[in-house]
Amino acid sequence: MITLKLKKQERQDRIVLLLNRTGFMTSNSLAKQIGVTSMTIRRDINELDQAHKVIKTYGGAKPLSNDMTVEFSTSQKLTINVELKKQIGEKLANIIEDGATVFLGAGTTLMYSLPFLIKKNLTFVTNSFISFSKLATTSNCRVLSTGGELHKNTGEFLGQIAERTFDGLNLDYALCSTNGIRNNDVTTSSEDEGRIQNVAINHATKALIIADHTKLGRSDIITFRNLNTFNGLVTDNEISSEQRNLYSEYTKVW
């Protein structure tokens, strides 16, 4: 949350930025993120909607376009849609059985899943520096880091060194992250981010794609895999019946 009081124009620019990156956000979520009252945010949304900069919806707002134009850092993503990410964490803990070996991708939703997953006797393999650090200090689970070149904006290890870590590994689950899913396309912002997840999937018995409902119907620049090649999509409880029906055509939806 930003504690420095922003001027009106700066505040409204930030609202547009947040919506372009995340899709729909509630007025309350925007207020917490920016550090103002919900009443102020609702006034801003009304003005932005009238200026054709965002689309006002019930309870919040969404961007004009479903294409992503901004890449946020991991620290910024950690403050967005937190409750939705925790819902997904609870679902994952119910899906994955005790004793499983799990690849944990670098998405922030997966970080919020850790408090639920570490209650089980799991072995983790991760390319996320932040998740590795949390697992090493807050759990008794066995944990392996891929190593490799650190991509500082997202806090993940990428590249050939990280990918070679999977040689000889046998995984029960690959838990993968995405910036957006549009129809059958699962997307991300860079080829390296998608490639390491595909390597992990090739060494796993089952692959699950993890995404809160605000990422559905949205697309980043690179499609790294088709949704129908995953064993399931794990999302939050706010998914609409229309979205559930659409994505159930490609894979199982939790």
Side-chain angles (χ1 to χ4, degrees), residues 29-40:
S29 293
L30 284 166
K32 289 179 181 179
Q33 180 73 18
I34 295 174
V36 295
T37 66
S38 296
M39 184 180 298
T40 297

Side-chain angles (χ1 to χ4, degrees), residues 10-226:
E10 294 173 330
R11 190 175 65 241
Q12 293 190 354
D13 287 346
R14 184 163 177 78
I15 291 171
V16 174
L17 180 74
L18 283 165
L19 293 175
N20 281 341
R21 184 61 189 81
T22 64
F24 169 80
M25 287 184 71
T26 66
S27 298
N28 289 337
S29 293
L30 284 166
K32 289 179 181 179
Q33 180 73 18
I34 295 174
V36 295
T37 66
S38 296
M39 184 180 298
T40 297
I41 289 296
R42 285 193 288 270
R43 285 199 298 265
D44 285 336
I45 289 174
N46 285 332
E47 292 183 14
L48 289 167
D49 178 75
Q50 292 170 7
H52 305 293
K53 293 183 177 180
V54 305
I55 299 173
K56 180 182 176 182
T57 65
Y58 178 76
K62 64 181 182 179
L64 294 177
S65 170
N66 283 325
D67 292 320
M68 296 181 175
T69 59
V70 181
E71 174 66 11
F72 277 4
S73 68
T74 294
S75 61
Q76 291 170 316
K77 292 178 184 178
L78 279 169
T79 63
I80 295 170
N81 295 329
V82 172
E83 292 306 314
L84 302 182
K85 294 171 182 179
K86 290 180 179 178
Q87 290 176 15
I88 294 171
E90 290 185 280
K91 290 185 181 184
L92 283 173
N94 290 326
I95 293 169
I96 297 172
E97 62 274 10
D98 285 327
T101 299
V102 176
F103 166 71
L104 193 75
T108 55
T109 302
L110 291 170
M111 293 181 198
Y112 278 107
S113 300
L114 287 179
F116 305 97
L117 294 175
I118 62 175
K119 296 177 182 179
K120 315 193 96 171
N121 182 30
L122 303 178
T123 295
F124 291 95
V125 180
T126 183
N127 71 316
S128 167
F129 173 75
I130 300 174
S131 289
F132 176 79
S133 299
K134 287 183 179 294
L135 286 166
T137 57
T138 64
S139 81
N140 294 320
C141 296
R142 185 182 183 189
V143 55
L144 291 77
S145 171
T146 63
E149 182 176 354
L150 182 64
H151 184 196
K152 294 182 179 179
N153 191 50
T154 59
E156 62 187 309
F157 295 109
L158 299 172
Q160 293 185 4
I161 295 174
E163 293 165 18
R164 285 199 296 268
T165 301
F166 293 92
D167 293 346
L169 289 183
N170 301 305
L171 307 171
D172 296 304
Y173 291 91
L175 305 184
C176 301
S177 60
T178 177
N179 288 343
I181 304 174
R182 179 181 290 171
N183 296 323
N184 198 31
D185 294 333
V186 183
T187 70
T188 189
S189 61
S190 81
E191 186 176 354
D192 285 344
E193 291 175 19
R195 189 168 57 240
I196 193 167
Q197 296 196 110
N198 280 325
V199 171
I201 290 169
N202 291 339
H203 288 266
T205 302
K206 295 180 179 179
L208 301 176
I209 187 68
I210 316 302
D212 69 63
H213 80 280
T214 68
K215 294 182 178 179
L216 304 180
R218 293 173 60 74
S219 177
D220 212 327
I221 190 170
I222 292 173
T223 296
F224 72 92
R225 200 169 185 91
N226 288 331

